Amino acid sequence: QVQLVESGGGSVQSRASLKLSCAASGFTISTWSMGWFRQAPGKAREAVVCIDSDGTPSYADSVKGRFDISKDNAENTLYLQMNDLKPEDTATYYCAADPSTPWWKLLVPSQYKHWGQGTQVTVSS
């Protein structure tokens, strides 16, 4: 059974950093596409950064240069390092995984079959 459990969210001031974790079980993260998505109240879920099974990342323009994705295959855990946070980054952040998302659809939420429960990130100015 595939499970994704996010952690690491919180409330921070602008320009702070946070690191989110997504502990995966039931599959091996090194062979699946995975990603971080977020959803703010009243808005659609959007991609933040995703990574394919080869380890190649794709970033949303809004987070390029500030956020970074990484995998720890030994721990079967996905990470999202967020730097220089802004109030517009406030959202619930979700981890997602899928065994067969093609690289050209990595940033499309509907391409992912498995989702975590989300972790809240709040950034105040």
Side-chain angles (χ1 to χ4, degrees):
Q1 180 181 359
V2 172
Q3 282 194 318
L4 301 168
V5 179
E6 302 98 332
S7 61
S11 296
V12 297
Q13 299 277 335
S14 288
R15 308 200 69 178
S17 297
L18 275 177
K19 187 173 185 177
L20 305 184
S21 301
C22 173
S25 59
F27 71 102
T28 302
I29 67 169
S30 62
T31 62
W32 285 31
S33 297
M34 297 192 72
W36 289 98
F37 296 80
R38 66 188 181 187
Q39 188 166 17
K43 294 190 176 181
R45 189 167 298 189
E46 63 177 5
V48 176
V49 55
C50 302
I51 189 166
D52 68 13
S53 57
D54 292 331
T56 302
S58 293
Y59 294 86
D61 288 343
S62 60
V63 304
K64 281 180 181 177
R66 300 189 298 124
F67 290 13
D68 196 19
I69 192 170
S70 62
K71 290 181 178 180
D72 184 331
N73 293 333
E75 295 294 326
N76 219 40
T77 299
L78 183 75
Y79 297 100
L80 177 65
Q81 177 66 48
M82 304 186 292
N83 300 320
D84 190 23
L85 282 160
K86 304 176 181 181
E88 51 264 43
D89 295 318
T90 295
T92 301
Y93 283 70
Y94 298 90
C95 173
D98 194 273
S100 58
T101 301
W103 65 266
W104 61 91
K105 293 186 178 180
L106 274 180
L107 298 179
V108 179
S110 62
Q111 294 299 309
Y112 291 81
K113 184 176 180 179
H114 303 281
W115 293 84
Q117 82 289 349
T119 185
Q120 178 67 35
V121 172
T122 302
V123 184
S124 57
S125 57

